[in-house]
């Protein structure tokens, strides 16, 4: 699978999750209609979870689109259904060092096996003394052939919120391109990620006059309820967001209700508006139509 098709598939996957939600009515509170929290046969409890929980699956029209394999609070593997076919999945496998996620490797599986020419993205994560991510590398392979490598550095504000990520790509040992991710936080939610891409010198110095593409991911609105992704390790979703920036809202405390991708002209903006039904603990359990459902496991 080519890089462009891989990224397009991930983007379509994300947008498919969001566009399944409608925006026809106001968000009701304490919804228990048809017990959407863990219905029979979902793999979770058949009773309402009142205590701690962890996100287990997201289903769309009864098909599992996301699944998180966990033991207790430890995430072992994430499985994302791709839009390319009924048996095509993106698998994220997680490795820990001293209790922290130190590696996340994403690779495609089709019919239970890795395609010979499939792309894989292997993220290695390090932390500073306060426990914040300060450096990440990513090795990209096309089958058994190296494609490119990336290095990521991070900036935080005084409150410890991530405000910027700088990615530098390498071909072999020579730097070639950069991407700057400028992150806007409003409270505990990420409301905008602006990206700018260009070329670097061979030693990695960005040439800002070379910027050729600017894409803005605007998370225009949030509810006041609990984002189900916050029940899983944040470091995993940093890597997931580096793979495609449309996923940055998964790092927010609340649930995005409006989303717009602003592309370079003349590509039109991609908007969306989303609503949810919640359980008595203020966790989303479905969209308004109950087409998409969130399934949890009790801890």
């Amino acid at each position: 699978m080519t890089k462009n098709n891989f990224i397009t598939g991930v983007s379509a996957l994300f947008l498919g999750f969001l566009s399944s939600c409608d925006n026809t009515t106001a968000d009701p509170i304490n919804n228990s209609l048809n017990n959407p929290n863990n219905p029979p046969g979902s793999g979770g409890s058949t009773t309402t979870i009142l205590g701690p929980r962890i996100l287990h699956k997201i289903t769309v029209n009864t098909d599992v689109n996301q699944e998180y394999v966990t033991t207790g609070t430890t995430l072992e593997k994430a499985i994302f259904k791709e839009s390319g076919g009924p048996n095509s999945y993106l698998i994220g496998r997680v490795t820990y060092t001293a209790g922290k996620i130190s590696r996340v490797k994403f690779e495609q599986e089709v019919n239970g096996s890795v395609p010979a020419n499939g792309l894989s993205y292997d993220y290695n994560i390090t932390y500073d003394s306060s426990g914040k991510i300060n450096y990440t590398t990513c090795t990209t392979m096309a089958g058994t052939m190296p494609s490119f490598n990336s290095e990521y550095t991070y900036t935080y504000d005084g409150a410890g919120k991530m405000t910027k990520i700088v990615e530098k790509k390498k071909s072999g040992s020579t730097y070639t391109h950069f991407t700057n991710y400028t992150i806007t936080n409003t409270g505990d939610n990420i409301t905008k990620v602006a990206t700018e891409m260009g070329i670097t010198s061979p030693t990695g110095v960005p040439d800002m006059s070379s910027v050729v593409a600017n894409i803005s991911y605007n998370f225009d609105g949030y509810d006041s309820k609990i984002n189900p992704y916050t029940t899983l390790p944040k470091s995993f979703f940093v890597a997931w967001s580096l793979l495609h920036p449309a996923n940055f809202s998964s790092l927010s405390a609340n649930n995005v209700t409006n989303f717009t991708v602003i592309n370079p002209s003349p590509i039109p903006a991609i908007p969306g508006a989303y609503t949810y039904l919640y359980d008595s603990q203020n966790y989303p359990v479905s969209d308004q139509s109950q087409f998409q459902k969130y399934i949890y496991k009790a801890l």
Side-chain angles (χ1 to χ4, degrees):
M1 179 174 59
T2 66
K3 177 187 173 187
N4 287 341
N5 287 341
F6 184 92
I7 294 298
T8 300
V10 173
S11 178
L13 177 68
F14 175 86
L15 295 173
F17 296 151
L18 295 183
S19 64
S20 68
C21 303
D22 66 49
N23 61 347
T24 55
T25 59
D27 293 346
I29 299 176
N30 300 338
N31 171 70
S32 59
L33 181 62
N34 298 328
N35 192 22
N37 183 27
N38 300 331
S42 67
S45 170
T46 58
T47 60
T48 299
I49 299 173
L50 300 179
R53 70 182 70 191
I54 194 166
L55 181 62
H56 180 40
K57 295 179 182 180
I58 297 177
T59 63
V60 176
N61 196 24
T62 73
D63 291 331
V64 177
N65 257 14
Q66 299 183 32
E67 181 173 359
Y68 298 93
V69 179
T70 56
T71 299
T73 59
T74 300
L75 174 64
E76 299 169 355
K77 181 170 64 173
I79 304 167
F80 302 96
K81 186 174 182 179
E82 289 195 304
S83 59
N87 296 309
S88 181
Y89 298 90
L90 183 66
I91 312 296
R93 293 179 173 84
V94 183
T95 301
Y96 292 80
T97 300
K100 289 182 175 293
I101 292 178
S102 56
R103 181 184 182 192
V104 180
K105 183 176 183 180
F106 294 100
E107 58 186 348
Q108 186 193 31
E109 285 190 5
V110 178
N111 295 321
S113 62
V114 178
N117 63 342
L119 281 182
S120 65
Y121 292 80
D122 195 350
Y123 293 91
N124 286 272
I125 302 168
T126 61
Y127 302 83
D128 64 18
S129 58
S130 66
K132 297 191 296 292
I133 297 175
N134 64 355
Y135 186 67
T136 302
T137 61
C138 178
T139 301
T140 305
M141 303 285 288
T144 60
M145 297 294 295
S147 179
F148 62 87
N149 297 326
S150 291
E151 298 174 353
Y152 301 86
T153 55
Y154 301 79
T155 300
Y156 297 86
D157 64 16
K161 298 183 187 302
M162 191 181 297
T163 57
K164 189 172 184 178
I165 303 172
V166 176
E167 175 188 7
K168 295 181 182 180
K169 284 187 171 66
K170 281 182 175 181
S171 177
S173 60
T174 302
Y175 292 94
T176 58
H177 295 80
F178 74 90
T179 302
N180 290 333
Y181 304 83
T182 300
I183 301 168
T184 301
N185 296 277
T186 302
D188 292 325
N189 295 320
I190 293 175
T191 49
K192 182 177 181 179
V193 178
T195 67
E196 52 185 5
M197 292 155 273
I199 63 173
T200 68
S201 71
T203 59
V205 178
D207 178 2
M208 297 310 298
S209 69
S210 72
V211 173
V212 295
N214 292 279
I215 302 175
S216 179
Y217 302 84
N218 297 337
F219 307 105
D220 304 308
Y222 283 87
D223 63 13
S224 60
K225 308 303 191 297
I226 302 170
N227 182 344
Y229 296 113
T230 62
T231 67
L232 292 157
K234 185 174 183 178
S235 295
F236 173 84
F237 291 103
V238 172
W240 181 226
S241 300
L242 293 175
L243 185 60
H244 197 283
N247 298 308
F248 267 103
S249 66
S250 62
L251 298 170
S252 297
N254 305 120
N255 301 287
V256 65
T257 57
N258 294 279
F259 174 87
T260 310
V261 180
I262 308 296
N263 293 287
S265 180
I267 303 173
I270 304 172
Y274 326 107
T275 60
Y276 307 88
L277 299 175
Y278 308 91
D279 67 10
S280 61
Q281 308 302 303
N282 288 327
Y283 286 91
V285 290
S286 74
D287 63 339
Q288 291 282 354
S289 66
Q290 299 195 61
F291 179 77
Q292 173 167 301
K293 296 187 178 182
Y294 300 82
I295 299 165
Y296 304 89
K297 291 196 299 187
L299 294 174

